[in-house]
Amino acid sequence: MRLIAGLGNPGIEYAFTRHNMGWLCVDHIVANKNLGQPQEKFHAQFWKHGNVIYIKPLTFMNLSGNAVSEAVNFYKIELSDVLIIYDDMALPFGKLRLRAQGSAGGHNGLISILGALGDLHVPRLRIGIGKAPSSMINYVLGHFNDDERERLPDIIDRASLAAETWLEKDIQRAMTLVNADPPE
């Protein structure tokens, strides 16, 4: 069993904010697979397709570990078979980075997940949202500007393909493909 968790915040006011990149990616994947409406399970929106579970935690970003750890523990999923998708201010807008493990880098959602799972060895797909020009909170919870909205479909397509690549290939080969700069 494998798990893909897209991080974000519930509520219409957060729907198209930078902090919900993980949710947008999971929404795109499940829509493309025609998985229909989610169940509510593990404090998350939940879809199951074959041996893959997709979740969007409903616990708000800072408590994402509750939902992810419940699903991991229920299905006894190896941590190497979990992929967390989330926004990252350390990367330029639209840049993708797939990693097999590491620290949370200050991201509260990932801090919650790594703490709940008690391990840093959790694959993650970071979607760059760029540096905050001023207030970090206002920036991550802010809506996309016109340029970002125009670029968003391509970014979500690439992030969804990155998640699929992670499912199909070993982590090293997936990282080589995903972390390469996209052609201009």
Side-chain angles (χ1 to χ4, degrees):
M1 189 66 64
R2 304 193 81 189
L3 170 70
I4 294 179
L7 303 191
N9 286 314
I12 193 70
E13 66 272 27
Y14 302 112
F16 288 99
T17 62
R18 294 175 190 92
H19 219 23
N20 273 35
M21 282 292 220
W23 271 38
L24 292 171
C25 187
V26 167
D27 284 341
H28 187 70
I29 294 168
V30 300
N32 283 343
K33 293 184 178 300
N34 295 313
L35 298 184
Q37 294 300 311
Q39 297 177 349
E40 196 165 312
K41 192 172 184 176
F42 310 120
H43 299 94
Q45 289 184 344
F46 170 94
W47 298 262
K48 188 170 185 279
H49 182 71
N51 69 337
V52 182
I53 296 164
Y54 301 92
I55 66 170
K56 292 177 11 184
L58 296 171
T59 54
F60 286 92
M61 184 66 77
N62 295 354
L63 298 175
S64 296
N66 296 348
V68 172
S69 65
E70 281 185 37
V72 165
N73 292 332
F74 182 85
Y75 285 102
K76 298 178 182 15
I77 301 171
E78 297 292 326
L79 296 186
S80 61
D81 289 328
V82 175
L83 179 67
I84 309 300
I85 305 173
Y86 63 98
D87 62 288
D88 193 326
M89 288 192 325
L91 295 173
F93 190 83
K95 184 91 167 163
L96 302 179
R97 279 291 175 254
L98 178 64
R99 296 284 185 251
Q101 62 185 19
S103 74
H107 191 282
N108 288 335
L110 196 57
I111 289 169
S112 174
I113 291 167
L114 298 178
L117 296 175
D119 201 313
L120 298 178
H121 296 84
V122 180
R124 72 281 314 265
L125 176 61
R126 299 161 41 210
I127 304 174
I129 61 169
K131 292 192 186 305
S134 55
S135 165
M136 180 188 71
I137 298 292
N138 290 340
Y139 183 71
V140 298
L141 296 180
H143 295 277
F144 299 105
N145 65 34
D146 290 343
D147 177 59
E148 292 168 340
R149 264 193 307 280
E150 187 175 310
R151 296 174 56 200
L152 192 59
D154 175 63
I155 294 164
I156 296 302
D157 280 344
R158 288 188 301 108
S160 298
L161 180 60
E164 292 293 332
T165 302
W166 173 80
L167 284 171
E168 295 168 6
K169 305 200 179 295
D170 66 74
I171 188 71
Q172 293 303 321
R173 287 193 306 163
M175 285 175 14
T176 298
L177 293 169
V178 171
N179 295 341
D181 287 329
E184 292 296 322

